[in-house]
Amino acid sequence: MDNWRQDPRLKQMDPEKLQYITDFAEQLTRLPKDQLFPALMKLQADAARRSIQFSNEETALLISILSSGMSPAEKKRLETLRFLAKKLAVRSS
């Protein structure tokens, strides 16, 4: 799971954002899969509180990297969670 950190596309990302995602990824490794949605919601709220915003391109890149080892079913669930989180973010703005 740590090999995602070697992706060369991450070199273009702001170091603060990269550290934030690295910390979050470490937290995810300790969570059961059924806790993914609450963790993503917490990430979104915490990032907003810290004024950290990820562009659509950055989000797509991170999802791509972090889901590279997932099964197709897990990737579909992740995309569903991402869609729901995006809808909730729009609603709360």
Side-chain angles (χ1 to χ4, degrees), residues 65-76:
I65 291 168
L66 294 174
S67 67
S68 64
M70 292 181 173
S71 71
E74 290 172 322
K75 286 181 182 183
K76 185 164 179 64

Side-chain angles (χ1 to χ4, degrees), residues 1-11 13 15 17-29 54 58 61-69:
M1 177 91 174
D2 284 341
N3 62 348
W4 67 269
R5 296 177 193 189
Q6 307 307 316
D7 192 297
R9 298 173 292 177
L10 291 173
K11 291 181 182 181
M13 187 174 285
K17 290 179 181 180
L18 185 55
Q19 184 60 52
Y20 187 76
I21 289 300
T22 300
D23 294 344
F24 179 70
E26 288 174 11
Q27 292 174 17
L28 284 182
T29 62
F54 294 94
E58 289 171 331
L61 170 63
L62 292 168
I63 297 275
S64 168
I65 291 168
L66 294 174
S67 67
S68 64

Side-chain angles (χ1 to χ4, degrees), residues 3 8 16 38 40-41 44 52 65 74 77-78 82-84 86 88 90:
N3 62 348
E16 180 184 11
L40 288 173
M41 297 305 295
Q44 181 180 4
I52 297 174
I65 291 168
E74 290 172 322
R77 275 190 298 239
L78 183 59
R82 181 176 169 222
F83 175 77
L84 291 171
K86 195 173 186 180
L88 289 171
V90 168

